[in-house]
Amino acid sequence: MTPPTYHIVSHSHWDREWYKSFQQFRAMLVNMVDDLLDLLQREKNFRCFTLDGQTIVLEDYLAVRPEREHELRKLIATGRLATGPWYILPDEFLVSAEATVRNLLVGTRMARAFGGGMAVGYIPDSFGHIAMMPAVLRGFGIDSALVYRGFGGEADQKTSEYWWRSPDGSRVLMVHLYSNGYSAGYFHDEPDEEIVRRFDALKAELDARATTSHRLLMNGGDHHWPDPRLPETLELLRKNFQGRFLHSSVQQYVDAVKGEASGLAEINGELRFGYRYAFAVLGGVYSSRMYIKQANWKSQNLLQRYAEPLSAMATAMGLKSQAPLVRKAWRTLMQNHTHDSICGCSIDAVHREMMTRFAASDQIANSVVDLSLGALVPEDERAAKDDRFLYFYNPSAFHRSEIAEAEARFYLQDIVVGLNPDVKTVPKLPRAAGFALVDPAGNQVPYQIVRREEVHDISYNRFNYPKQTWADSFTLLVDARDIPPLGFKGLRIDRKKGFAHPAQRLSSGSRFLENEFLRVEVNGRGEVTVRDKLRGTEYSGLNVFEDSGDVGDEYNYSYPKQDSTQLSKVGKAKIQRIEEGPLRASLRVEVTLRVPASAAPDRKSRSPRRVLLHITSELSITPYSRSVEFSTTVENSAKDHRLRVLFPVGVKTDRVQADSQFCIVERQQKSYDLRKFTIEHPAAVAPMQRFITVRGPQRALTLFAYGLPEYELKLDRKGTLALTLLRCVGLLAGDDLITRPGGKAGWHNETPEAQCQGVYTFRYAVLPHSPDAPAWGELIHRESERFHLPLLAFRRKHASAQPVQFSFGSVSGGLLVLSALKEPEEGAGAVVRLYNPGPAEVAGILRFAHPIARAEVAGLNEEPRGVLETKDGTTIPLRVPACGIMTVRIRWADGHK
């Protein structure tokens, strides 16, 4: 038998911000890396050290110590420092698939620029793992992963090596850490006899779990300095135990295991359990500080579906590339994606700083949008003082017709800035008497005025001061028909003596809304009933609010021992029609819950003192609506509670289809004997990205949620979906949680801002449909795009539209989802990424307005893997396998960038 080899890997797991702020932890980081570099220079026997798999550590250190960059580069190039492949160590479920790809794009390139990089999917502290992670890693040429949380403890999960397969069939070698994770092998200043005693216990577990002759022991921990005595400790272990003891690296260990791996067990899909193994999976982070999740969703959508595609289009049309700005926005945003940050489980100061980063990323992205649109549809301020054209940009890869929000402005008067006595202003003009919107074919387009007001209109140019005027502003709903894919359509604005009065295509009353697809009714208790007129099915009891106690912490929901639940349907609702068409009809529903003000002082029950929780929902439909949209505002003055909104589907089921990163996952909702879980109870809630679908034999309902990633399927014989709106707690880590009997998950910090006091607004929508329409189908995909990615309206004052209508590209094959359209990280052209979330191969066609010189299929790392056929110089036929991701790299023909 081959004697065992013990690979001791020195490392530090560096949470960039957590129970201290980023700047406080960076001060520690600078001193730790200073000492590490000195140690590596001084002690040649200290072979190597792992900088936590994230290159941002280098960036943060060098911002303070730029003079030591050459030392870092030399140590990385010679293998004594290991870094990458990530930019930051993310939470996988709370960021988008594209955010994960950009994370690896930045991390692998930065590591390579420093002279090296781990080719291991190093994710030892993420709170579970997405189903498509093996495919993502394979897209970067990485064939292994190191994981900890979310797996282990079950009967078939007893070894340390597995094959991990994603839904598309991609497979990686998965290394699963021992039960004490990445810190059990840190000895430092312990006496020799204690090291021998402790390693003897570690050895028993390592040997029992190993499937090869190699064992991995991580010598480090959170914010740990390198263990300078490790070379001596290795000698001590060699004297007292049989086997080889190496001061090793994760890469060296993985490569050794690959040489012996055979007959390994295979696991499939996402890893979200492990409640009897690791401390802990931490299933409550999907709803901690929900405002963080909402801000992130908005920023991601803005970057990946507006700023990046428009920048790629404008560059192809001749604008200087805006890719450096886009990358800066992505890096700023990704700094919020570290697991302790995006999960909402840090001190208040950390999350205040996150909101500043979200704002910074959005400001850059919006600037890129404006610059790109300015190149695609140039403005001529000299042509007119009024807005002359109203454009709509369609971020989807298919034609869209829908009611879109927009604004039109008419000149009233110049505003003089300064005190120049020689400048005289002309009198203010009369307000607009009316106007028409005219499409390129000369037809008048229906619109509905939502609001009218006088506003400051400021225009900017490169060669003079801004020009400021008073303007008569109209906020509009416009019947935006047949907006071309990945393109725009302009409507001419003609002044008239009256306003448009389009035909009524909606019915509404004091308590109902109706179009050709849906009838929506609200009863006196505020419960919503939606009737699917196409199928004759009704869904009742929707949009009921449920408030219950939460004495957990930022990591885990935990109910008090004596809980109480309040439901909005037991009270009387105030219902008012606030819009009656013709293009949108809306109801406002106001309910009030009397809820406990907080937890009782002993946290075992809820306070007898009550406060009022005011909740206002606005329900809307348009003539095109297949879904009912809700905008719900909550005035939260209570603490220590969880607020959810309920949607009974009317089916008995324990299955859901949840939108996830690059795929749809089917999950089974289970109940457990909680006495068998002594570390952490399995969470009843689960994460989603864009939507969740529940199906029965005769009916189905899909719930779309904007930046609200947590749901529960209640096992109540009604198929009730509970969507979390707020989870309000006041501790980073508590020690008395019923749902986490194993103890604290972090260090004690009071987090009053995690109680989420104040006013919050949430968007969600429900789509009733046939059970034959699967979650990966065309109907749900298109409705999801309309809900999450509205048409973007912009105004122009030029005298003639240039052009009136334009489509940069399109995708046929209704099941294919557009994930990215961007400029390449290196070189010219464009990168398009699509994925097929369905269980069968899909044929599609990718078309472009620009002539194509060459099309290649590429990895997620954008490295070409083969040439694709092109037809007519603008068309690329595609075949995307079941659950597959396809990245296409385009090189434009001569004359185009």
Side-chain angles (χ1 to χ4, degrees), residues 2-7 199 203 207 213 215 234-235 237-246:
T2 305
T5 299
Y6 298 92
H7 295 255
F199 182 78
K203 178 180 182 298
D207 290 348
S213 65
R215 292 93 165 96
L234 289 173
E235 288 301 322
L237 296 177
R238 290 176 186 127
K239 290 176 182 178
N240 286 274
F241 297 94
Q242 292 184 341
R244 299 172 63 221
F245 290 84
L246 300 180

PDB file of all heavy atoms in Angstrom, residues 2-7 199 203 207 213 215 234-235 237-246:
ATOM      1  N   THR A   2       0.520   2.233  -0.824  1.00  0.00           N
ATOM      2  CA  THR A   2       1.271   3.479  -0.889  1.00  0.00           C
ATOM      3  C   THR A   2       1.127   4.242   0.419  1.00  0.00           C
ATOM      4  O   THR A   2       0.011   4.451   0.901  1.00  0.00           O
ATOM      5  CB  THR A   2       0.754   4.356  -2.046  1.00  0.00           C
ATOM      6  OG1 THR A   2       0.805   3.616  -3.264  1.00  0.00           O
ATOM      7  CG2 THR A   2       1.575   5.622  -2.174  1.00  0.00           C
ATOM      8  N   PRO A   3       2.233   4.654   1.023  1.00  0.00           N
ATOM      9  CA  PRO A   3       2.121   5.401   2.283  1.00  0.00           C
ATOM     10  C   PRO A   3       1.433   6.733   2.038  1.00  0.00           C
ATOM     11  O   PRO A   3       1.562   7.342   0.969  1.00  0.00           O
ATOM     12  CB  PRO A   3       3.574   5.590   2.712  1.00  0.00           C
ATOM     13  CG  PRO A   3       4.361   5.464   1.465  1.00  0.00           C
ATOM     14  CD  PRO A   3       3.637   4.467   0.607  1.00  0.00           C
ATOM     15  N   PRO A   4       0.678   7.226   3.024  1.00  0.00           N
ATOM     16  CA  PRO A   4      -0.049   8.486   2.825  1.00  0.00           C
ATOM     17  C   PRO A   4       0.902   9.684   2.739  1.00  0.00           C
ATOM     18  O   PRO A   4       1.964   9.699   3.361  1.00  0.00           O
ATOM     19  CB  PRO A   4      -0.942   8.579   4.046  1.00  0.00           C
ATOM     20  CG  PRO A   4      -0.260   7.757   5.084  1.00  0.00           C
ATOM     21  CD  PRO A   4       0.424   6.646   4.349  1.00  0.00           C
ATOM     22  N   THR A   5       0.479  10.654   1.936  1.00  0.00           N
ATOM     23  CA  THR A   5       1.174  11.936   1.846  1.00  0.00           C
ATOM     24  C   THR A   5       0.252  13.011   2.382  1.00  0.00           C
ATOM     25  O   THR A   5      -0.877  13.168   1.905  1.00  0.00           O
ATOM     26  CB  THR A   5       1.565  12.261   0.401  1.00  0.00           C
ATOM     27  OG1 THR A   5       2.446  11.248  -0.091  1.00  0.00           O
ATOM     28  CG2 THR A   5       2.248  13.609   0.314  1.00  0.00           C
ATOM     29  N   TYR A   6       0.730  13.738   3.372  1.00  0.00           N
ATOM     30  CA  TYR A   6      -0.053  14.814   3.982  1.00  0.00           C
ATOM     31  C   TYR A   6       0.432  16.147   3.424  1.00  0.00           C
ATOM     32  O   TYR A   6       1.580  16.542   3.619  1.00  0.00           O
ATOM     33  CB  TYR A   6       0.085  14.769   5.507  1.00  0.00           C
ATOM     34  CG  TYR A   6      -0.449  13.487   6.096  1.00  0.00           C
ATOM     35  CD1 TYR A   6       0.396  12.391   6.299  1.00  0.00           C
ATOM     36  CD2 TYR A   6      -1.791  13.356   6.406  1.00  0.00           C
ATOM     37  CE1 TYR A   6      -0.097  11.202   6.820  1.00  0.00           C
ATOM     38  CE2 TYR A   6      -2.295  12.165   6.924  1.00  0.00           C
ATOM     39  CZ  TYR A   6      -1.445  11.087   7.130  1.00  0.00           C
ATOM     40  OH  TYR A   6      -1.941   9.907   7.626  1.00  0.00           O
ATOM     41  N   HIS A   7      -0.476  16.815   2.710  1.00  0.00           N
ATOM     42  CA  HIS A   7      -0.166  18.116   2.104  1.00  0.00           C
ATOM     43  C   HIS A   7      -0.621  19.208   3.070  1.00  0.00           C
ATOM     44  O   HIS A   7      -1.820  19.417   3.285  1.00  0.00           O
ATOM     45  CB  HIS A   7      -0.894  18.272   0.777  1.00  0.00           C
ATOM     46  CG  HIS A   7      -0.459  17.313  -0.283  1.00  0.00           C
ATOM     47  ND1 HIS A   7       0.344  17.677  -1.338  1.00  0.00           N
ATOM     48  CD2 HIS A   7      -0.705  15.985  -0.443  1.00  0.00           C
ATOM     49  CE1 HIS A   7       0.563  16.630  -2.117  1.00  0.00           C
ATOM     50  NE2 HIS A   7      -0.071  15.585  -1.592  1.00  0.00           N
ATOM     51  N   PHE A 199      -2.889  16.484  15.945  1.00  0.00           N
ATOM     52  CA  PHE A 199      -2.752  15.901  14.618  1.00  0.00           C
ATOM     53  C   PHE A 199      -3.201  14.435  14.617  1.00  0.00           C
ATOM     54  O   PHE A 199      -3.737  13.955  13.616  1.00  0.00           O
ATOM     55  CB  PHE A 199      -1.316  15.996  14.103  1.00  0.00           C
ATOM     56  CG  PHE A 199      -1.180  15.441  12.714  1.00  0.00           C
ATOM     57  CD1 PHE A 199      -1.595  16.183  11.621  1.00  0.00           C
ATOM     58  CD2 PHE A 199      -0.705  14.155  12.491  1.00  0.00           C
ATOM     59  CE1 PHE A 199      -1.509  15.671  10.338  1.00  0.00           C
ATOM     60  CE2 PHE A 199      -0.617  13.640  11.222  1.00  0.00           C
ATOM     61  CZ  PHE A 199      -1.024  14.400  10.131  1.00  0.00           C
ATOM     62  N   LYS A 203      -5.629  13.235  11.833  1.00  0.00           N
ATOM     63  CA  LYS A 203      -5.181  12.154  10.953  1.00  0.00           C
ATOM     64  C   LYS A 203      -6.263  11.084  10.803  1.00  0.00           C
ATOM     65  O   LYS A 203      -6.490  10.561   9.697  1.00  0.00           O
ATOM     66  CB  LYS A 203      -3.906  11.551  11.513  1.00  0.00           C
ATOM     67  CG  LYS A 203      -3.328  10.382  10.728  1.00  0.00           C
ATOM     68  CD  LYS A 203      -2.068   9.876  11.396  1.00  0.00           C
ATOM     69  CE  LYS A 203      -1.445   8.734  10.599  1.00  0.00           C
ATOM     70  NZ  LYS A 203      -2.328   7.557  10.499  1.00  0.00           N
ATOM     71  N   ASP A 207      -7.528  10.266   7.114  1.00  0.00           N
ATOM     72  CA  ASP A 207      -7.297   8.936   6.562  1.00  0.00           C
ATOM     73  C   ASP A 207      -8.615   8.245   6.217  1.00  0.00           C
ATOM     74  O   ASP A 207      -8.724   7.566   5.196  1.00  0.00           O
ATOM     75  CB  ASP A 207      -6.518   8.075   7.556  1.00  0.00           C
ATOM     76  CG  ASP A 207      -5.075   8.533   7.726  1.00  0.00           C
ATOM     77  OD1 ASP A 207      -4.616   9.362   6.910  1.00  0.00           O
ATOM     78  OD2 ASP A 207      -4.410   8.068   8.666  1.00  0.00           O
ATOM     79  N   SER A 213      -3.915   8.270  -1.884  1.00  0.00           N
ATOM     80  CA  SER A 213      -2.873   8.289  -0.847  1.00  0.00           C
ATOM     81  C   SER A 213      -2.568   9.703  -0.363  1.00  0.00           C
ATOM     82  O   SER A 213      -1.686   9.889   0.467  1.00  0.00           O
ATOM     83  CB  SER A 213      -1.591   7.649  -1.388  1.00  0.00           C
ATOM     84  OG  SER A 213      -1.050   8.429  -2.445  1.00  0.00           O
ATOM     85  N   ARG A 215      -3.668  13.464   1.350  1.00  0.00           N
ATOM     86  CA  ARG A 215      -4.569  14.126   2.286  1.00  0.00           C
ATOM     87  C   ARG A 215      -4.224  15.616   2.335  1.00  0.00           C
ATOM     88  O   ARG A 215      -3.058  15.985   2.263  1.00  0.00           O
ATOM     89  CB  ARG A 215      -4.423  13.555   3.701  1.00  0.00           C
ATOM     90  CG  ARG A 215      -4.916  12.115   3.862  1.00  0.00           C
ATOM     91  CD  ARG A 215      -3.768  11.110   3.652  1.00  0.00           C
ATOM     92  NE  ARG A 215      -4.110   9.780   4.124  1.00  0.00           N
ATOM     93  CZ  ARG A 215      -4.592   8.805   3.341  1.00  0.00           C
ATOM     94  NH1 ARG A 215      -4.810   9.030   2.063  1.00  0.00           N
ATOM     95  NH2 ARG A 215      -4.858   7.622   3.849  1.00  0.00           N
ATOM     96  N   LEU A 234       6.499  20.419  10.751  1.00  0.00           N
ATOM     97  CA  LEU A 234       6.582  19.306   9.798  1.00  0.00           C
ATOM     98  C   LEU A 234       7.622  18.288  10.257  1.00  0.00           C
ATOM     99  O   LEU A 234       7.404  17.062  10.159  1.00  0.00           O
ATOM    100  CB  LEU A 234       6.903  19.836   8.405  1.00  0.00           C
ATOM    101  CG  LEU A 234       5.777  20.613   7.710  1.00  0.00           C
ATOM    102  CD1 LEU A 234       6.282  21.229   6.415  1.00  0.00           C
ATOM    103  CD2 LEU A 234       4.591  19.719   7.425  1.00  0.00           C
ATOM    104  N   GLU A 235       8.745  18.751  10.734  1.00  0.00           N
ATOM    105  CA  GLU A 235       9.765  17.824  11.244  1.00  0.00           C
ATOM    106  C   GLU A 235       9.229  17.040  12.439  1.00  0.00           C
ATOM    107  O   GLU A 235       9.481  15.839  12.588  1.00  0.00           O
ATOM    108  CB  GLU A 235      11.030  18.591  11.631  1.00  0.00           C
ATOM    109  CG  GLU A 235      11.827  19.104  10.451  1.00  0.00           C
ATOM    110  CD  GLU A 235      12.286  17.971   9.529  1.00  0.00           C
ATOM    111  OE1 GLU A 235      12.646  16.876  10.042  1.00  0.00           O
ATOM    112  OE2 GLU A 235      12.241  18.172   8.306  1.00  0.00           O
ATOM    113  N   LEU A 237       6.111  16.235  13.028  1.00  0.00           N
ATOM    114  CA  LEU A 237       5.143  15.245  12.540  1.00  0.00           C
ATOM    115  C   LEU A 237       5.845  14.076  11.866  1.00  0.00           C
ATOM    116  O   LEU A 237       5.425  12.916  12.012  1.00  0.00           O
ATOM    117  CB  LEU A 237       4.160  15.914  11.577  1.00  0.00           C
ATOM    118  CG  LEU A 237       3.265  17.009  12.188  1.00  0.00           C
ATOM    119  CD1 LEU A 237       2.393  17.646  11.121  1.00  0.00           C
ATOM    120  CD2 LEU A 237       2.392  16.452  13.315  1.00  0.00           C
ATOM    121  N   ARG A 238       6.919  14.360  11.136  1.00  0.00           N
ATOM    122  CA  ARG A 238       7.670  13.276  10.488  1.00  0.00           C
ATOM    123  C   ARG A 238       8.253  12.311  11.518  1.00  0.00           C
ATOM    124  O   ARG A 238       8.358  11.101  11.275  1.00  0.00           O
ATOM    125  CB  ARG A 238       8.767  13.869   9.616  1.00  0.00           C
ATOM    126  CG  ARG A 238       8.254  14.589   8.369  1.00  0.00           C
ATOM    127  CD  ARG A 238       9.367  15.254   7.580  1.00  0.00           C
ATOM    128  NE  ARG A 238       8.822  16.041   6.472  1.00  0.00           N
ATOM    129  CZ  ARG A 238       9.095  17.309   6.237  1.00  0.00           C
ATOM    130  NH1 ARG A 238       9.941  17.967   7.040  1.00  0.00           N
ATOM    131  NH2 ARG A 238       8.561  17.946   5.227  1.00  0.00           N
ATOM    132  N   LYS A 239       8.655  12.843  12.655  1.00  0.00           N
ATOM    133  CA  LYS A 239       9.260  11.998  13.695  1.00  0.00           C
ATOM    134  C   LYS A 239       8.219  11.140  14.408  1.00  0.00           C
ATOM    135  O   LYS A 239       8.548  10.075  14.943  1.00  0.00           O
ATOM    136  CB  LYS A 239       9.985  12.871  14.719  1.00  0.00           C
ATOM    137  CG  LYS A 239      11.253  13.525  14.191  1.00  0.00           C
ATOM    138  CD  LYS A 239      11.863  14.448  15.241  1.00  0.00           C
ATOM    139  CE  LYS A 239      13.099  15.154  14.700  1.00  0.00           C
ATOM    140  NZ  LYS A 239      13.671  16.093  15.722  1.00  0.00           N
ATOM    141  N   ASN A 240       6.975  11.598  14.456  1.00  0.00           N
ATOM    142  CA  ASN A 240       5.967  10.932  15.275  1.00  0.00           C
ATOM    143  C   ASN A 240       4.928  10.141  14.483  1.00  0.00           C
ATOM    144  O   ASN A 240       4.144   9.394  15.086  1.00  0.00           O
ATOM    145  CB  ASN A 240       5.251  11.962  16.143  1.00  0.00           C
ATOM    146  CG  ASN A 240       6.099  12.449  17.291  1.00  0.00           C
ATOM    147  OD1 ASN A 240       6.127  11.827  18.356  1.00  0.00           O
ATOM    148  ND2 ASN A 240       6.817  13.554  17.070  1.00  0.00           N
ATOM    149  N   PHE A 241       4.899  10.306  13.153  1.00  0.00           N
ATOM    150  CA  PHE A 241       3.867   9.628  12.363  1.00  0.00           C
ATOM    151  C   PHE A 241       4.484   9.082  11.080  1.00  0.00           C
ATOM    152  O   PHE A 241       5.473   9.622  10.559  1.00  0.00           O
ATOM    153  CB  PHE A 241       2.735  10.602  12.001  1.00  0.00           C
ATOM    154  CG  PHE A 241       2.002  11.143  13.190  1.00  0.00           C
ATOM    155  CD1 PHE A 241       2.376  12.362  13.752  1.00  0.00           C
ATOM    156  CD2 PHE A 241       0.956  10.442  13.766  1.00  0.00           C
ATOM    157  CE1 PHE A 241       1.711  12.879  14.844  1.00  0.00           C
ATOM    158  CE2 PHE A 241       0.294  10.953  14.869  1.00  0.00           C
ATOM    159  CZ  PHE A 241       0.663  12.167  15.417  1.00  0.00           C
ATOM    160  N   GLN A 242       3.880   8.019  10.579  1.00  0.00           N
ATOM    161  CA  GLN A 242       4.306   7.465   9.311  1.00  0.00           C
ATOM    162  C   GLN A 242       3.689   8.268   8.171  1.00  0.00           C
ATOM    163  O   GLN A 242       2.627   8.857   8.311  1.00  0.00           O
ATOM    164  CB  GLN A 242       3.886   6.000   9.205  1.00  0.00           C
ATOM    165  CG  GLN A 242       4.629   5.080  10.161  1.00  0.00           C
ATOM    166  CD  GLN A 242       4.263   3.630   9.948  1.00  0.00           C
ATOM    167  OE1 GLN A 242       3.241   3.317   9.350  1.00  0.00           O
ATOM    168  NE2 GLN A 242       5.113   2.733  10.431  1.00  0.00           N
ATOM    169  N   GLY A 243       4.358   8.239   7.033  1.00  0.00           N
ATOM    170  CA  GLY A 243       3.869   8.952   5.868  1.00  0.00           C
ATOM    171  C   GLY A 243       4.765  10.123   5.503  1.00  0.00           C
ATOM    172  O   GLY A 243       5.715  10.459   6.218  1.00  0.00           O
ATOM    173  N   ARG A 244       4.463  10.722   4.364  1.00  0.00           N
ATOM    174  CA  ARG A 244       5.196  11.889   3.894  1.00  0.00           C
ATOM    175  C   ARG A 244       4.460  13.150   4.323  1.00  0.00           C
ATOM    176  O   ARG A 244       3.238  13.219   4.245  1.00  0.00           O
ATOM    177  CB  ARG A 244       5.333  11.861   2.372  1.00  0.00           C
ATOM    178  CG  ARG A 244       6.086  10.656   1.835  1.00  0.00           C
ATOM    179  CD  ARG A 244       5.994  10.607   0.314  1.00  0.00           C
ATOM    180  NE  ARG A 244       6.626  11.767  -0.311  1.00  0.00           N
ATOM    181  CZ  ARG A 244       6.134  12.423  -1.353  1.00  0.00           C
ATOM    182  NH1 ARG A 244       4.981  12.057  -1.887  1.00  0.00           N
ATOM    183  NH2 ARG A 244       6.790  13.435  -1.880  1.00  0.00           N
ATOM    184  N   PHE A 245       5.225  14.154   4.744  1.00  0.00           N
ATOM    185  CA  PHE A 245       4.648  15.425   5.150  1.00  0.00           C
ATOM    186  C   PHE A 245       5.265  16.518   4.297  1.00  0.00           C
ATOM    187  O   PHE A 245       6.468  16.762   4.348  1.00  0.00           O
ATOM    188  CB  PHE A 245       4.900  15.687   6.641  1.00  0.00           C
ATOM    189  CG  PHE A 245       4.118  14.784   7.533  1.00  0.00           C
ATOM    190  CD1 PHE A 245       4.594  13.514   7.853  1.00  0.00           C
ATOM    191  CD2 PHE A 245       2.892  15.178   8.026  1.00  0.00           C
ATOM    192  CE1 PHE A 245       3.858  12.675   8.664  1.00  0.00           C
ATOM    193  CE2 PHE A 245       2.151  14.340   8.852  1.00  0.00           C
ATOM    194  CZ  PHE A 245       2.633  13.075   9.172  1.00  0.00           C
ATOM    195  N   LEU A 246       4.406  17.174   3.473  1.00  0.00           N
ATOM    196  CA  LEU A 246       4.888  18.186   2.537  1.00  0.00           C
ATOM    197  C   LEU A 246       4.328  19.555   2.909  1.00  0.00           C
ATOM    198  O   LEU A 246       3.138  19.687   3.236  1.00  0.00           O
ATOM    199  CB  LEU A 246       4.443  17.851   1.113  1.00  0.00           C
ATOM    200  CG  LEU A 246       4.896  16.518   0.498  1.00  0.00           C
ATOM    201  CD1 LEU A 246       4.346  16.393  -0.919  1.00  0.00           C
ATOM    202  CD2 LEU A 246       6.408  16.406   0.507  1.00  0.00           C
TER     203      LEU A 246
END
